[in-house]
Amino acid sequence: MSTTLTSPSGAAPDAVSGRAARHGRPPERRNTAMQRRETAAGYGFLVPWLVGFFGLTVGPMLYSLYLAFTRYNIFSPPQWIGFDNFTRLFSDPTFLRSVEVTLKYVLIGTPVKLIAALGIALLLNSITRGSGFFRSAFYAPSLIGGTVSIAIVWRAMFQTNGPVDSALKSVGIDVGGWVGNVDLAMPMMIVLAVWTFGAPMVIFLAGLKQVPQELYEAAEMDGAGRVSKFLHVTFPMLSPVIFFNLLLETIHAFQVFGSAFIISNGSGGPGGQLNFITLYMYKRGFADMQMGYASAIAWIVLVFVAIVAAIMFRTSKGWVHYAGESR
């Protein structure tokens, strides 16, 4: 007695394979063709971004690199001068002063901002009622802190006889305004930077939520206090997040421009206290029409920030702990 195997549709396997061969390519080839179409569609969707990336980012960057070796004032063709712009930088006292001002802002403002963000994140992580409201309230300044309107308000608040100056006078402290004060202009900018700690705070808070509670319980059983638990549990587990925020905020601090331009009215503040590298670069390029020199400044800043980032990545191996990594 013989039996004949049939497909679910009732047809014999030979008949099915023969019909597939007659009406199209084998299944493997059909899948390959479909994958090629999907890949082509994916690259098609990437085309607008690629055009924008190369046309609006890579292209201008390469052109600015060329301009860095030229004398160019926008109205006449660039003239090749080699490394003259770069050698001029290191003999330009105003540029060296802007480097000093920028480094002071980065080295003081960034740590203070991160400490404030981490402190508030630790506080929010320990409360349950109203945490959503406070999280939104603390995050809001980071959404508007870099806008022109906030810079205008900040200037009005800290100028002579402004709200801050008047409040200090009411308690017997007369500083004569912050905007025009050589000693207080930089602290005013640092206060503005610290005020916008919302973004790193949210990232810190997300990292704190991932720390296993079992580690804290084990530390308590060993008699660890709050400080000890922070140093031996929270900090090591949060170190990748701290490094991430430190890297981003450092790069962001080197790019400060809008608030300094508005608050100082483009002058760089009293004694050049707010004459950051980006502001000096803008004045050389668009006020003095020295586009070649401004391009050289831009590339020096890019290289310097890249070196700082590389050093941070190199040194992070000694204090950043990743889960599952053996030490």
PDB file of all heavy atoms in Angstrom, residues 204-224:
ATOM      1  N   PHE A 204      21.633  62.228  35.519  1.00  0.00           N
ATOM      2  CA  PHE A 204      22.073  61.684  36.808  1.00  0.00           C
ATOM      3  C   PHE A 204      20.948  60.906  37.480  1.00  0.00           C
ATOM      4  O   PHE A 204      21.173  59.824  38.046  1.00  0.00           O
ATOM      5  CB  PHE A 204      22.530  62.810  37.722  1.00  0.00           C
ATOM      6  CG  PHE A 204      23.925  63.288  37.476  1.00  0.00           C
ATOM      7  CD1 PHE A 204      24.226  64.638  37.462  1.00  0.00           C
ATOM      8  CD2 PHE A 204      24.955  62.383  37.274  1.00  0.00           C
ATOM      9  CE1 PHE A 204      25.511  65.084  37.238  1.00  0.00           C
ATOM     10  CE2 PHE A 204      26.253  62.818  37.045  1.00  0.00           C
ATOM     11  CZ  PHE A 204      26.523  64.175  37.032  1.00  0.00           C
ATOM     12  N   LEU A 205      19.754  61.452  37.430  1.00  0.00           N
ATOM     13  CA  LEU A 205      18.613  60.806  38.079  1.00  0.00           C
ATOM     14  C   LEU A 205      18.315  59.457  37.434  1.00  0.00           C
ATOM     15  O   LEU A 205      18.018  58.472  38.131  1.00  0.00           O
ATOM     16  CB  LEU A 205      17.386  61.716  38.004  1.00  0.00           C
ATOM     17  CG  LEU A 205      16.153  61.274  38.787  1.00  0.00           C
ATOM     18  CD1 LEU A 205      16.477  61.102  40.253  1.00  0.00           C
ATOM     19  CD2 LEU A 205      15.019  62.282  38.598  1.00  0.00           C
ATOM     20  N   ALA A 206      18.403  59.390  36.111  1.00  0.00           N
ATOM     21  CA  ALA A 206      18.206  58.111  35.423  1.00  0.00           C
ATOM     22  C   ALA A 206      19.272  57.103  35.826  1.00  0.00           C
ATOM     23  O   ALA A 206      18.989  55.905  35.996  1.00  0.00           O
ATOM     24  CB  ALA A 206      18.212  58.327  33.912  1.00  0.00           C
ATOM     25  N   GLY A 207      20.517  57.564  35.989  1.00  0.00           N
ATOM     26  CA  GLY A 207      21.581  56.658  36.423  1.00  0.00           C
ATOM     27  C   GLY A 207      21.375  56.171  37.848  1.00  0.00           C
ATOM     28  O   GLY A 207      21.646  55.004  38.157  1.00  0.00           O
ATOM     29  N   LEU A 208      20.885  57.044  38.727  1.00  0.00           N
ATOM     30  CA  LEU A 208      20.642  56.648  40.114  1.00  0.00           C
ATOM     31  C   LEU A 208      19.548  55.593  40.213  1.00  0.00           C
ATOM     32  O   LEU A 208      19.585  54.727  41.096  1.00  0.00           O
ATOM     33  CB  LEU A 208      20.262  57.877  40.943  1.00  0.00           C
ATOM     34  CG  LEU A 208      21.388  58.878  41.219  1.00  0.00           C
ATOM     35  CD1 LEU A 208      20.839  60.152  41.842  1.00  0.00           C
ATOM     36  CD2 LEU A 208      22.439  58.252  42.129  1.00  0.00           C
ATOM     37  N   LYS A 209      18.575  55.668  39.316  1.00  0.00           N
ATOM     38  CA  LYS A 209      17.497  54.675  39.338  1.00  0.00           C
ATOM     39  C   LYS A 209      18.003  53.279  38.978  1.00  0.00           C
ATOM     40  O   LYS A 209      17.337  52.284  39.295  1.00  0.00           O
ATOM     41  CB  LYS A 209      16.398  55.088  38.349  1.00  0.00           C
ATOM     42  CG  LYS A 209      15.706  56.399  38.677  1.00  0.00           C
ATOM     43  CD  LYS A 209      14.918  56.339  39.965  1.00  0.00           C
ATOM     44  CE  LYS A 209      14.148  57.639  40.193  1.00  0.00           C
ATOM     45  NZ  LYS A 209      13.418  57.618  41.498  1.00  0.00           N
ATOM     46  N   GLN A 210      19.152  53.192  38.325  1.00  0.00           N
ATOM     47  CA  GLN A 210      19.684  51.903  37.896  1.00  0.00           C
ATOM     48  C   GLN A 210      20.617  51.264  38.921  1.00  0.00           C
ATOM     49  O   GLN A 210      21.072  50.137  38.707  1.00  0.00           O
ATOM     50  CB  GLN A 210      20.435  52.070  36.564  1.00  0.00           C
ATOM     51  CG  GLN A 210      19.601  52.665  35.443  1.00  0.00           C
ATOM     52  CD  GLN A 210      18.366  51.849  35.133  1.00  0.00           C
ATOM     53  OE1 GLN A 210      18.438  50.619  35.072  1.00  0.00           O
ATOM     54  NE2 GLN A 210      17.241  52.511  34.934  1.00  0.00           N
ATOM     55  N   VAL A 211      20.922  51.977  39.996  1.00  0.00           N
ATOM     56  CA  VAL A 211      21.816  51.404  41.013  1.00  0.00           C
ATOM     57  C   VAL A 211      21.043  50.369  41.829  1.00  0.00           C
ATOM     58  O   VAL A 211      20.011  50.684  42.422  1.00  0.00           O
ATOM     59  CB  VAL A 211      22.352  52.504  41.941  1.00  0.00           C
ATOM     60  CG1 VAL A 211      23.274  51.897  43.002  1.00  0.00           C
ATOM     61  CG2 VAL A 211      23.110  53.553  41.131  1.00  0.00           C
ATOM     62  N   PRO A 212      21.494  49.130  41.888  1.00  0.00           N
ATOM     63  CA  PRO A 212      20.762  48.092  42.630  1.00  0.00           C
ATOM     64  C   PRO A 212      20.667  48.414  44.119  1.00  0.00           C
ATOM     65  O   PRO A 212      21.669  48.768  44.757  1.00  0.00           O
ATOM     66  CB  PRO A 212      21.598  46.827  42.394  1.00  0.00           C
ATOM     67  CG  PRO A 212      22.410  47.126  41.170  1.00  0.00           C
ATOM     68  CD  PRO A 212      22.680  48.589  41.202  1.00  0.00           C
ATOM     69  N   GLN A 213      19.484  48.274  44.683  1.00  0.00           N
ATOM     70  CA  GLN A 213      19.284  48.541  46.108  1.00  0.00           C
ATOM     71  C   GLN A 213      20.014  47.516  46.968  1.00  0.00           C
ATOM     72  O   GLN A 213      20.338  47.791  48.122  1.00  0.00           O
ATOM     73  CB  GLN A 213      17.789  48.531  46.421  1.00  0.00           C
ATOM     74  CG  GLN A 213      17.023  49.690  45.811  1.00  0.00           C
ATOM     75  CD  GLN A 213      17.526  51.036  46.322  1.00  0.00           C
ATOM     76  OE1 GLN A 213      17.762  51.209  47.513  1.00  0.00           O
ATOM     77  NE2 GLN A 213      17.671  51.993  45.399  1.00  0.00           N
ATOM     78  N   GLU A 214      20.275  46.337  46.409  1.00  0.00           N
ATOM     79  CA  GLU A 214      20.973  45.317  47.180  1.00  0.00           C
ATOM     80  C   GLU A 214      22.364  45.788  47.607  1.00  0.00           C
ATOM     81  O   GLU A 214      22.858  45.397  48.668  1.00  0.00           O
ATOM     82  CB  GLU A 214      21.102  44.026  46.362  1.00  0.00           C
ATOM     83  CG  GLU A 214      19.778  43.325  46.062  1.00  0.00           C
ATOM     84  CD  GLU A 214      19.053  43.942  44.875  1.00  0.00           C
ATOM     85  OE1 GLU A 214      19.612  44.887  44.275  1.00  0.00           O
ATOM     86  OE2 GLU A 214      17.940  43.485  44.566  1.00  0.00           O
ATOM     87  N   LEU A 215      22.992  46.616  46.786  1.00  0.00           N
ATOM     88  CA  LEU A 215      24.322  47.115  47.144  1.00  0.00           C
ATOM     89  C   LEU A 215      24.250  48.034  48.362  1.00  0.00           C
ATOM     90  O   LEU A 215      25.124  47.980  49.240  1.00  0.00           O
ATOM     91  CB  LEU A 215      24.933  47.859  45.948  1.00  0.00           C
ATOM     92  CG  LEU A 215      25.186  47.029  44.686  1.00  0.00           C
ATOM     93  CD1 LEU A 215      25.763  47.897  43.582  1.00  0.00           C
ATOM     94  CD2 LEU A 215      26.126  45.868  44.995  1.00  0.00           C
ATOM     95  N   TYR A 216      23.221  48.875  48.418  1.00  0.00           N
ATOM     96  CA  TYR A 216      23.056  49.746  49.583  1.00  0.00           C
ATOM     97  C   TYR A 216      22.751  48.926  50.836  1.00  0.00           C
ATOM     98  O   TYR A 216      23.249  49.232  51.929  1.00  0.00           O
ATOM     99  CB  TYR A 216      21.938  50.756  49.334  1.00  0.00           C
ATOM    100  CG  TYR A 216      22.269  51.788  48.290  1.00  0.00           C
ATOM    101  CD1 TYR A 216      21.579  51.831  47.087  1.00  0.00           C
ATOM    102  CD2 TYR A 216      23.274  52.725  48.504  1.00  0.00           C
ATOM    103  CE1 TYR A 216      21.875  52.780  46.121  1.00  0.00           C
ATOM    104  CE2 TYR A 216      23.582  53.690  47.541  1.00  0.00           C
ATOM    105  CZ  TYR A 216      22.880  53.704  46.353  1.00  0.00           C
ATOM    106  OH  TYR A 216      23.178  54.642  45.397  1.00  0.00           O
ATOM    107  N   GLU A 217      21.928  47.891  50.688  1.00  0.00           N
ATOM    108  CA  GLU A 217      21.592  47.042  51.831  1.00  0.00           C
ATOM    109  C   GLU A 217      22.833  46.313  52.349  1.00  0.00           C
ATOM    110  O   GLU A 217      23.036  46.195  53.560  1.00  0.00           O
ATOM    111  CB  GLU A 217      20.510  46.046  51.433  1.00  0.00           C
ATOM    112  CG  GLU A 217      19.175  46.702  51.076  1.00  0.00           C
ATOM    113  CD  GLU A 217      18.178  45.716  50.494  1.00  0.00           C
ATOM    114  OE1 GLU A 217      18.542  44.518  50.348  1.00  0.00           O
ATOM    115  OE2 GLU A 217      17.048  46.131  50.173  1.00  0.00           O
ATOM    116  N   ALA A 218      23.654  45.846  51.428  1.00  0.00           N
ATOM    117  CA  ALA A 218      24.885  45.167  51.839  1.00  0.00           C
ATOM    118  C   ALA A 218      25.829  46.142  52.534  1.00  0.00           C
ATOM    119  O   ALA A 218      26.493  45.791  53.525  1.00  0.00           O
ATOM    120  CB  ALA A 218      25.568  44.538  50.628  1.00  0.00           C
ATOM    121  N   ALA A 219      25.895  47.381  52.037  1.00  0.00           N
ATOM    122  CA  ALA A 219      26.758  48.389  52.656  1.00  0.00           C
ATOM    123  C   ALA A 219      26.259  48.740  54.062  1.00  0.00           C
ATOM    124  O   ALA A 219      27.065  48.932  54.984  1.00  0.00           O
ATOM    125  CB  ALA A 219      26.807  49.645  51.779  1.00  0.00           C
ATOM    126  N   GLU A 220      24.933  48.821  54.230  1.00  0.00           N
ATOM    127  CA  GLU A 220      24.379  49.102  55.552  1.00  0.00           C
ATOM    128  C   GLU A 220      24.689  47.979  56.535  1.00  0.00           C
ATOM    129  O   GLU A 220      24.968  48.229  57.715  1.00  0.00           O
ATOM    130  CB  GLU A 220      22.869  49.312  55.445  1.00  0.00           C
ATOM    131  CG  GLU A 220      22.482  50.618  54.760  1.00  0.00           C
ATOM    132  CD  GLU A 220      20.973  50.778  54.636  1.00  0.00           C
ATOM    133  OE1 GLU A 220      20.250  49.838  55.030  1.00  0.00           O
ATOM    134  OE2 GLU A 220      20.527  51.829  54.148  1.00  0.00           O
ATOM    135  N   MET A 221      24.651  46.755  56.057  1.00  0.00           N
ATOM    136  CA  MET A 221      24.978  45.622  56.932  1.00  0.00           C
ATOM    137  C   MET A 221      26.435  45.680  57.376  1.00  0.00           C
ATOM    138  O   MET A 221      26.790  45.208  58.460  1.00  0.00           O
ATOM    139  CB  MET A 221      24.699  44.306  56.210  1.00  0.00           C
ATOM    140  CG  MET A 221      23.225  44.043  55.947  1.00  0.00           C
ATOM    141  SD  MET A 221      22.946  42.496  55.065  1.00  0.00           S
ATOM    142  CE  MET A 221      23.570  41.310  56.268  1.00  0.00           C
ATOM    143  N   ASP A 222      27.299  46.273  56.556  1.00  0.00           N
ATOM    144  CA  ASP A 222      28.706  46.426  56.911  1.00  0.00           C
ATOM    145  C   ASP A 222      28.952  47.671  57.758  1.00  0.00           C
ATOM    146  O   ASP A 222      30.105  47.975  58.085  1.00  0.00           O
ATOM    147  CB  ASP A 222      29.571  46.489  55.652  1.00  0.00           C
ATOM    148  CG  ASP A 222      29.614  45.158  54.916  1.00  0.00           C
ATOM    149  OD1 ASP A 222      29.352  44.127  55.579  1.00  0.00           O
ATOM    150  OD2 ASP A 222      29.887  45.153  53.702  1.00  0.00           O
ATOM    151  N   GLY A 223      27.878  48.398  58.066  1.00  0.00           N
ATOM    152  CA  GLY A 223      28.004  49.575  58.911  1.00  0.00           C
ATOM    153  C   GLY A 223      28.350  50.854  58.170  1.00  0.00           C
ATOM    154  O   GLY A 223      28.813  51.825  58.787  1.00  0.00           O
ATOM    155  N   ALA A 224      28.150  50.908  56.873  1.00  0.00           N
ATOM    156  CA  ALA A 224      28.481  52.101  56.092  1.00  0.00           C
ATOM    157  C   ALA A 224      27.446  53.194  56.321  1.00  0.00           C
ATOM    158  O   ALA A 224      26.249  52.939  56.387  1.00  0.00           O
ATOM    159  CB  ALA A 224      28.553  51.752  54.607  1.00  0.00           C
TER     160      ALA A 224
END
